[in-house]
Amino acid sequence: MKILVIGDLCLDKFVYGEVKRIAPEAPVPVFNPLRETTNYGMSGNVANNIKSLGINYDLVSNTDNTLIKTRYIDKDSNQMLLRIDDEDSCNGIIKDQLTNLNWKDYTAVIISDYCKGFLSEEDIYYISQKHPLTFLDTKKQLGDWCKNIKFIKINTLEYLNNKSLLNTDKELLEKIIITKGPEGCMYRNKIYPTQEVPVKDVSGAGDTFIAALVTDYITDKNIIQAINFAQKCTTIVVQKPGVATI
């Protein structure tokens, strides 16, 4: 089995340090950096989680102009003090990157769309036409362009932003899986609870969820089982610092 991941990619940098005093010039903490970690985020994190589950993958992303998200973290409390994003958009996908793909090579396709400019609605519609088992995780407003998607994963805020559409489009609503943090997730109006665990960092948890969901689904084609597996995997990564894999 092999999964194709398509979407925006960034570098997630975490700078860990200590804060022992407030600056005399302004009421802000004085941060002393001690160590840092860097790994791929967004679609890159989806791919890394698929790899950690032992499944082969290909990744199509904006490797020519990588976005960088830098988070400054107090090492003792794990509290994020500041996040700096270098650029907030990337170049769009080159059409040849899509048309030259051999879609039959892939068991499933994951579209990891952080709405940074790599994929347009037309691109996503094209992808969904080329492969029958396409999963979508998107920040875009939903519409007719995603009608061929098999399953769509969104969070609570994204659901609220699309609520008026989903209230009138029952066919689209049937595809929606809503992640709700510590409350679990909702699918077809049923809540699937998750285990309560001590949370260190939720960064990248949605990437883990979609990666685990698809990895399990392509094995047994049971979406409820896949949802429960995805939630188990998510509870693992939120107990780790930074953007982590399963």
Side-chain angles (χ1 to χ4, degrees), residues 145-195:
W145 53 272
C146 57
K147 64 182 181 180
N148 293 329
I149 301 291
K150 181 70 172 179
F151 294 104
I152 302 170
K153 175 255 169 196
I154 55 178
N155 61 31
T156 301
L157 179 59
E158 292 155 358
Y159 167 72
L160 293 175
N161 290 337
N162 287 281
K163 193 171 182 180
S164 58
L165 170 64
L166 295 175
N167 283 341
T168 58
D169 192 332
K170 300 304 180 184
E171 183 178 350
L172 184 60
L173 183 61
E174 293 287 287
K175 305 172 184 282
I176 300 292
I177 300 170
I178 307 164
T179 54
K180 300 171 69 67
E183 298 176 31
C185 74
M186 185 167 70
Y187 174 62
R188 295 191 174 182
N189 211 34
K190 181 177 179 180
I191 294 289
Y192 294 87
T194 189
Q195 180 185 0

Side-chain angles (χ1 to χ4, degrees), residues 13-36:
K13 181 186 292 185
F14 286 77
V15 182
Y16 295 92
E18 57 186 6
V19 176
K20 293 188 176 181
R21 62 191 178 96
I22 301 298
E25 307 92 345
V28 295
V30 176
F31 183 78
N32 177 29
L34 299 175
R35 66 181 181 88
E36 66 179 57

